[in-house]
Amino acid sequence: MDDLRKIDAAHYVAGHGRSQAPWPEVLDPQRRYFTVILEETRAAIRNRKTLQQATDEVGHSEAKNWAAFDTFHRRNVTTAYTELEWE
């Protein structure tokens, strides 16, 4: 996302619906979501939560911000957990 922010884009296509936000501010909600997932997943691992517990608990504060939350969120947490558990 840091590399994307550097692009001087005149036009962009939002991945999950229309946005009136200007470039690159349109990326801010996604960054916030990924930061929540990152921080809360690391905390879950530190606290010896299982993968199931993490998918049940991590990032649910973001549910109201994403129309497709129920479709993709558990997979996102699962991916984060399986990558971060080896840090």
Side-chain angles (χ1 to χ4, degrees), residues 41-81:
T41 301
R42 282 184 172 148
I45 292 167
R46 248 189 336 271
N47 293 313
R48 299 191 179 277
K49 301 278 185 163
T50 65
L51 175 57
Q52 181 66 53
Q53 288 169 318
T55 58
D56 289 343
E57 299 171 9
V58 166
H60 287 272
S61 63
E62 286 290 313
K64 65 188 175 301
N65 299 320
W66 301 96
F69 184 87
D70 291 334
T71 303
F72 296 105
H73 179 71
R74 292 179 75 81
R75 182 186 59 153
N76 292 341
V77 174
T78 298
T79 301
Y81 188 101

Side-chain angles (χ1 to χ4, degrees), residues 8-21:
D8 185 23
H11 302 283
Y12 63 89
V13 177
H16 295 287
R18 295 176 189 249
S19 177
Q20 299 302 316

